Amino acid sequence: MKQCLVVDDSSVIRKVARRILEDLQFEITEAEDGQQALDECRKTMPDAILLDWNMPVMDGLEFLTSLRAEEGGESPIVVFCTTENDVAHIARAIRAGANEYIMKPFDREIVEAKFQEVGLI
Amino acid sequence: MTPGEFEFLKNFLKTRSGLVLSNDKQYLVESRLLPIARSSKLETLSAVIQTLQRSGNRALETDVIEAMTTNESFFFRDKTPFDNFRDTMLPALLQSRSNFKQLKIWCAAASSGQEPYSLAMCLKEEAAKMGGWRTRILGTDLSLEVLEKAKAGLYSQFEVQRGLPIQLLLKYFEQKGDMWQIGAPMRSMIEWKKLNLLENFAHLGEFDIVFCRNVLIYFDQATKSEILARLAKSLPEDGYLVLGAAETVVGLTDAFKPVPGKRGLFQKKPAVHAATGPGASTRFAAGGVAGLRR
């Protein structure tokens, strides 16, 4: 079973994402901000990370930049999932090492399509 | 809607669009036609059908046909056909057409444009191998309304997230408020025309590749066979026909055979009494190239 870390400060979004991803046969761990996510990754590197942008303590982009600099941090497939939906943000995320990008609001079909796109399912 | 009205609608759609409506599709009729009932101030489905029965209301007839035959569409839908396009069809045709460097593709059920635009993006991604080539994509559909949308190339945030990799969104689209518009260079690669596959399409000329996915499923066996026979005439000997993942030519026509190992991909069976020379030269002689120019 593949592992996916869901990073979002909204518990509602985490719950929705968990439900969708569990149906897609992922084992889910959760984090509320970038720092918690980084701590999780240092314990166990997940196969995939669904990542919000705007979060307290450490935001998604900062987390991604730190993750990619960690040992083994290049391996997880990172899919941003954020309300930031302009070209500039998307381009920054890709440059920082994101593999895919979901613009909120999202649904089951979009998550499935994006995860397929990056070869996770 | 009474059984008699449903029966009338079935016959109406069959003769006018070829759509075969089975008896379990009442829900589909309701979900597609109730919006028309409301917008045309007829209020009920029965009223819509009774108006059709009295006939003469062309606008309503068109609205009903379009609403019943339109499909939802995604970019790179089913993925495999586009992999086949890039890895099988394109390399073969780039080689066999290397003398005259022209490629003509027809999307016969273009709907709101995602399929032709996906092919246009594939071609752009392969541009390095295609210096000096002229490519044309024709997108046709029964519905003028979806063709207008296709032509505009404007898609919602939801639509651009189904099947379209983020890199391609960044590369080929521009953000327009809440919407995303495919760039002008891509839009200029495609020509749009309203066309009913039941009608003669020989005037469109010959194509190297025809995408005709998930549209034959609406027709009965005889109509499917008849359309496939005419599609065969629109393709040269080495052309390709692409059908939907669940579609086949088996039992419908002798004109096509499946390409082994390539789901949904078909080529013509060699003609038994092929008279002269290779397909390419026959094609020249028959004025196929002239037909490519508008």
Side-chain angles (χ1 to χ4, degrees):
Chain A
M1 214 177 198
K2 283 185 179 163
Q3 237 195 21
C4 183
L5 174 62
V6 175
V7 192
D8 202 302
D9 57 340
S10 152
S11 61
V12 176
I13 297 282
R14 290 201 306 274
K15 205 164 152 188
V16 171
R18 171 188 279 273
R19 206 173 297 150
I20 295 172
L21 289 165
E22 281 179 345
D23 286 347
L24 296 171
Q25 306 300 313
F26 283 89
E27 196 182 316
I28 305 300
T29 45
E30 295 182 19
E32 288 175 30
D33 60 58
Q35 187 56 55
Q36 273 189 20
L38 208 52
D39 295 342
E40 276 299 324
C41 288
R42 282 169 184 154
K43 272 190 268 170
T44 327
M45 214 42 103
D47 300 290
I49 301 172
L50 189 73
L51 181 63
D52 186 19
W53 193 304
N54 297 306
M55 292 176 291
V57 189
M58 184 193 281
D59 73 19
L61 192 74
E62 230 180 299
F63 159 76
L64 177 59
T65 311
S66 311
L67 172 77
R68 292 307 192 207
E70 294 265 320
E71 191 175 330
E74 68 289 336
S75 69
I77 289 174
V78 175
V79 179
F80 255 104
C81 184
T82 166
T83 49
E84 302 295 349
N85 64 356
D86 57 286
V87 171
H89 273 90
I90 300 172
R92 271 174 79 196
I94 301 296
R95 271 202 306 276
N99 301 83
E100 256 299 342
Y101 199 102
I102 293 171
M103 296 175 270
K104 287 177 184 167
F106 61 95
D107 61 8
R108 188 174 293 265
E109 267 186 3
I110 289 176
V111 173
E112 204 173 334
K114 291 292 187 180
F115 271 55
Q116 250 164 21
E117 196 50 55
V118 291
L120 280 165
I121 45 178
Chain B
M1 188 169 51
T2 66
E5 286 164 355
F6 185 71
E7 205 53 37
F8 169 82
L9 187 67
K10 266 173 69 176
N11 287 329
F12 170 78
L13 290 167
K14 172 79 202 303
T15 47
R16 294 295 299 276
S17 70
L19 178 73
V20 179
L21 204 60
S22 53
N23 288 328
D24 59 350
K25 292 284 161 54
Q26 297 244 4
Y27 76 94
L28 189 72
V29 172
E30 281 167 22
S31 68
R32 296 280 175 91
L33 297 190
L34 275 174
I36 292 180
R38 285 189 208 104
S39 66
S40 61
K41 304 265 190 289
L42 290 164
E43 302 308 332
T44 67
L45 268 186
S46 289
V48 169
I49 293 168
Q50 283 158 21
T51 310
L52 289 177
Q53 281 169 325
R54 285 197 298 273
S55 88
N57 190 336
R58 290 305 287 259
L60 185 69
E61 290 176 4
T62 308
D63 285 351
V64 167
I65 292 168
E66 291 193 354
M68 291 306 301
T69 54
T70 302
N71 284 308
E72 205 190 354
S73 184
F74 315 128
F75 287 99
F76 296 98
R77 185 172 177 182
D78 298 336
K79 207 163 181 300
T80 310
F82 301 95
D83 291 343
N84 287 342
F85 177 68
R86 185 193 59 214
D87 302 333
T88 305
M89 296 179 246
L90 213 47
L93 292 169
L94 287 187
Q95 198 167 19
S96 60
R97 308 280 188 276
S98 60
N99 283 335
F100 48 104
K101 297 195 175 195
Q102 292 208 44
L103 210 54
K104 210 180 168 198
I105 302 163
W106 175 21
C107 293
S111 189
S112 39
Q114 282 92 334
E115 183 182 83
Y117 285 131
S118 298
L119 290 170
M121 285 186 270
C122 285
L123 286 170
K124 284 281 182 206
E125 292 291 298
E126 299 294 306
K129 298 171 194 162
M130 300 187 68
W133 279 72
R134 292 214 301 147
T135 50
R136 291 214 60 83
I137 301 173
L138 173 69
T140 65
D141 201 279
L142 184 64
S143 160
L144 267 183
E145 195 185 331
V146 294
L147 282 178
E148 282 305 315
K149 179 180 160 72
K151 203 170 179 178
L154 264 177
Y155 298 96
S156 72
Q157 187 168 293
F158 272 97
E159 288 171 309
V160 296
Q161 297 206 83
R162 295 194 177 127
L164 183 68
I166 196 73
Q167 301 277 10
L168 297 185
L169 179 73
L170 277 186
K171 206 163 163 182
Y172 296 116
F173 286 75
E174 287 164 32
Q175 201 162 18
K176 294 273 159 94
D178 289 344
M179 306 287 280
W180 293 82
Q181 184 172 39
I182 193 148
M186 312 302 288
R187 276 180 279 141
S188 71
M189 288 172 73
I190 304 167
E191 187 190 338
W192 308 98
K193 273 197 182 111
K194 179 177 155 76
L195 182 91
N196 186 339
L197 287 173
L198 291 181
E199 291 157 15
N200 181 20
F201 46 72
H203 60 281
L204 298 177
E206 208 171 56
F207 297 88
D208 301 295
I209 298 172
V210 177
F211 274 70
C212 186
R213 299 195 298 151
N214 307 315
V215 56
L216 293 181
I217 42 174
Y218 294 109
F219 302 119
D220 60 25
Q221 299 297 95
T223 311
K224 281 181 194 172
S225 298
E226 194 267 330
I227 293 174
L228 284 167
R230 286 188 289 125
L231 284 174
K233 289 183 188 154
S234 300
L235 284 160
E237 293 305 316
D238 60 349
Y240 292 95
L241 172 69
V242 183
L243 297 180
E247 295 175 303
T248 180
V249 299
V250 174
L252 293 171
T253 176
D254 286 330
F256 291 101
K257 60 176 182 358
V259 176
K262 305 284 171 190
R263 189 164 49 87
L265 189 58
F266 302 86
Q267 280 198 293
K268 276 165 75 165
K269 277 186 187 165
V272 187
H273 44 74
T276 50
S281 60
T282 319
R283 187 161 175 262
F284 261 122
V289 172
L292 288 169
R293 299 199 190 98
R294 285 205 295 152

